[in-house]
Amino acid sequence: ERVGLIMNGDKCKSLSIVADGGRKRTYVDQSQRIIVNGILIDSMSVTEYYTYLGIGNGAKGVKEENLHALWKVLLQRLSSSPLKPHQMLYSLRLHAYPTLHHKCTFQRTSKKCLMELDRLTRKYVRQWMWLPSDTATEAFYAKVEDGGLEIPSFRHNIPLNRYRRLAKMTESRDPLVKKLASCEPAKSKMENAKKLCVIANSPYNNGEELKSKVREAYWNRCDGKGLQTEPLQVKRSSFGQLLGHTTPLNTKNFIGAWNVRMNTIGTPARNNRAGLAGGAANTCDKCGLGRIASLGHISQTCRETHGSRTKRHDRIVNHLHQALTDKKGVTVVKEPHIRPKGSALRKPDLVVVSGGKATIVDVQVVSDSGIKDLERVGERKTVKYGSTEIKEEVLRQLGLPLTTPITVHAFSITWRGNTLRHTLDVARTLGVTHLLPRITTDVLVDTYRMWLGYRRSGKRYHTN
């Protein structure tokens, strides 16, 4: 009453549990009544439950529900709804999962139960995204910047949530709450939750450690090796068109882009990982050079997809050229022909002049061979266009003094959508960071289209 609250008897319940010392047990006594300000509060029986925040509580404790059946109904509703795959994933992350998260945290759920919920989730996501059955488990739970679908895991999150809630109670300023947290049942629950906070025999104590453990486990898998980058190198915002509830992609390209990102496309080499079809089944039947027909080969070196690779490269150049041309005070020259004395013809993709400085930018889509190799690729571009003769020839063609400062930058991105450190630096320098989501999506979609073209084309060359 001091704070203006008035009890509503119709919404309240009372529970009287009496101890019987002679029989050494407790029982529910409904004869005892509670009256507050003349309002009679109904007394609960031993079989009744009072629902608070979705959780039923009664004399027998928390009401047990069949979480597996409840979760299956939610997933079936999503599958049968007229939603597109990106909308299903969004609804799963932000609506369906929170529905069960609260119940799993307070209800008695074993490790086996949580794993069954995750297994059921993966089953439906595979159907939505056309994923093969051998897709790495960590690919479902890793963050989008780490190459995963970013689906919450019951097995990983529920034990951590329980542990954090109980640990926070031990630090409470309220002496009663602190006393409850120090009792034996609370300690036992906290220890059990702590034991479950483990991935690949490696414990985690908070959300950041969990993210790091999942990322490490995924990058150690065959499909995740090509996603390895330095921490914070790949920006989450670059994948905005693949993560949100809206996307400019149609269903086919959206699913294809994600399959390229996770390297789950059914190439000859991937389909024959077990080697049951023999070593010859792994080779590319378009090149005839004994090359392994992996997605990396198809998208980067296969002669069948040469024209598609050129289109993918030119699309990125056109995006950058259009964005820079629209800027005031910026002059952009596309593919100038540079032929210094005694050197071969050079055609850098873009030359940008702004603020009394010139910048040579050369675009490239590179392999996913590893961090060190990828950074060396950027250095090669600097060496290729960084000679004094080439720089002076560029300045002459632009009509600028030879004393004008001029720098060379590579704009590199892997065929799996990872931007490299030097790419982020040049994007900030040129003021085109807003283009990264569009460029990333286009690279993934174009790589997927390469695979479609490769698969539809007939066998061109013999492998023997």
Side-chain angles (χ1 to χ4, degrees):
E1 293 181 355
R2 293 179 181 178
V3 294
L5 298 178
I6 301 176
M7 183 176 294
N8 186 347
D10 295 334
K11 294 185 178 180
C12 299
K13 293 284 185 180
S14 65
L15 177 63
S16 176
I17 301 178
V18 182
D20 188 343
R23 298 181 181 180
K24 299 186 182 297
R25 66 178 184 178
T26 59
Y27 63 93
V28 176
D29 186 3
Q30 281 190 279
S31 62
Q32 297 191 22
R33 305 292 186 189
I34 297 179
I35 300 176
V36 179
N37 294 335
I39 301 174
L40 177 64
I41 308 299
D42 290 339
S43 181
M44 295 168 54
S45 67
V46 69
T47 59
E48 288 183 300
Y49 290 92
Y50 181 78
T51 302
Y52 178 68
L53 295 180
I55 305 298
N57 294 273
K60 297 180 179 180
V62 178
K63 184 179 181 180
E64 301 291 335
E65 294 187 62
N66 189 340
L67 298 177
H68 188 274
L70 180 59
W71 187 234
K72 188 174 183 179
V73 169
L74 289 174
L75 292 175
Q76 286 176 342
R77 287 179 181 175
L78 275 177
S79 293
S80 60
S81 66
L83 297 177
K84 295 184 178 180
H86 70 275
Q87 295 170 328
M88 290 182 182
L89 291 177
Y90 184 83
S91 298
L92 176 64
R93 299 186 193 104
L94 270 69
H95 300 288
Y97 176 80
T99 300
L100 222 62
H101 181 272
H102 186 67
K103 293 181 182 293
C104 290
T105 301
F106 290 95
Q107 186 173 314
R108 294 178 184 176
T109 48
S110 63
K111 175 182 176 181
K112 180 180 179 181
C113 175
L114 297 176
M115 293 177 67
E116 286 294 330
L117 294 175
D118 282 342
R119 192 175 293 113
L120 189 62
T121 305
R122 294 195 298 271
K123 174 185 174 182
Y124 279 87
V125 173
R126 284 193 186 98
Q127 296 174 5
W128 302 342
M129 299 297 292
W130 306 347
L131 297 174
S133 58
D134 63 344
T135 303
T137 301
E138 296 81 8
F140 294 89
Y141 309 125
K143 296 296 183 181
V144 63
E145 61 268 29
D146 299 329
L149 287 168
E150 200 169 310
I151 295 171
S153 168
F154 291 100
R155 168 64 184 86
H156 297 156
N157 294 330
I158 298 301
L160 178 61
N161 194 39
R162 287 177 181 167
Y163 172 74
R164 290 166 61 181
R165 291 178 70 94
L166 292 170
K168 193 173 182 179
M169 288 177 64
T170 61
E171 303 173 357
S172 175
R173 296 180 181 180
D174 192 318
L176 180 58
V177 174
K178 203 168 185 177
K179 185 73 174 178
L180 288 172
S182 62
C183 67
E184 192 58 33
K187 286 184 178 180
S188 177
K189 287 184 178 180
M190 188 160 60
E191 291 176 1
N192 291 336
K194 180 64 175 176
K195 290 179 182 179
L196 293 179
C197 294
V198 177
I199 294 180
N201 299 323
S202 180
Y204 55 90
N205 299 309
N206 52 57
E208 283 300 318
E209 290 185 9
L210 172 59
K211 174 184 174 181
S212 176
K213 300 295 182 184
V214 173
R215 176 179 61 229
E216 181 180 353
Y218 182 34
W219 286 359
N220 286 331
R221 301 293 292 270
C222 184
D223 289 333
K225 287 182 179 179
L227 294 165
Q228 296 185 27
T229 58
E230 295 179 354
L232 303 179
Q233 178 173 311
V234 179
K235 297 300 181 182
R236 179 183 178 84
S237 58
S238 297
F239 303 93
Q241 296 185 355
L242 299 178
L243 190 62
H245 65 285
T246 59
T247 178
L249 305 178
N250 59 33
T251 298
K252 183 178 180 180
N253 287 339
F254 176 81
I255 293 176
W258 265 115
N259 275 268
V260 169
R261 176 81 174 142
M262 297 190 292
N263 195 24
T264 52
I265 296 288
T267 61
R270 194 184 193 284
N271 290 340
N272 191 37
R273 277 184 177 174
L276 300 179
N282 293 339
T283 58
C284 176
D285 60 0
K286 310 295 189 297
C287 294
L289 302 175
R291 302 289 179 83
I292 301 299
S294 64
L295 190 55
H297 165 74
I298 294 170
S299 65
Q300 296 299 116
T301 60
C302 183
R303 65 179 71 180
E304 184 68 24
T305 58
H306 174 75
S308 299
R309 285 197 297 275
T310 303
K311 291 180 180 179
R312 182 180 63 182
H313 168 272
D314 292 346
R315 191 189 300 272
I316 301 174
V317 174
N318 291 335
H319 285 324
L320 294 174
H321 180 261
Q322 183 62 45
L324 293 171
T325 303
D326 293 341
K327 290 180 175 291
K328 293 183 178 180
V330 178
T331 303
V332 184
V333 180
K334 184 178 178 182
E335 295 185 352
H337 288 208
I338 311 299
R339 192 186 295 273
K341 293 182 180 180
S343 300
L345 176 66
R346 293 286 188 267
K347 291 195 302 180
D349 291 319
L350 297 172
V351 177
V352 184
V353 180
S354 176
K357 298 179 182 179
T359 305
I360 298 175
V361 180
D362 204 62
V363 174
Q364 56 182 349
V365 180
V366 298
S367 69
D368 59 344
S369 57
I371 305 172
K372 295 182 180 178
D373 291 338
L374 295 180
E375 291 303 331
R376 291 195 193 102
V377 169
E379 295 173 2
R380 293 192 196 110
K381 287 292 184 181
T382 304
V383 173
K384 181 178 180 181
Y385 295 105
S387 66
T388 304
E389 294 79 7
I390 293 179
K391 289 182 177 180
E392 289 180 352
E393 183 63 25
V394 169
L395 294 176
R396 287 192 189 97
Q397 290 194 15
L398 295 175
L400 297 175
L402 297 182
T403 56
T404 303
I406 182 170
T407 55
V408 180
H409 296 286
F411 192 96
S412 310
I413 182 171
T414 70
W415 60 265
R416 299 182 70 173
N418 280 357
T419 50
L420 308 187
R421 183 176 61 250
H422 59 262
T423 304
L424 296 176
D425 294 339
V426 70
R428 294 190 189 100
T429 302
L430 299 177
V432 292
T433 53
H434 63 283
L435 286 179
L436 292 180
R438 186 174 181 181
I439 291 175
T440 300
T441 304
D442 284 346
V443 168
L444 294 173
V445 172
D446 287 343
T447 303
Y448 173 63
R449 288 171 178 166
M450 285 185 198
W451 156 244
L452 293 179
Y454 177 91
R455 186 182 63 178
R456 291 167 183 164
S457 64
K459 181 175 179 180
R460 300 295 178 87
Y461 305 96
H462 295 286
T463 56
N464 54 7

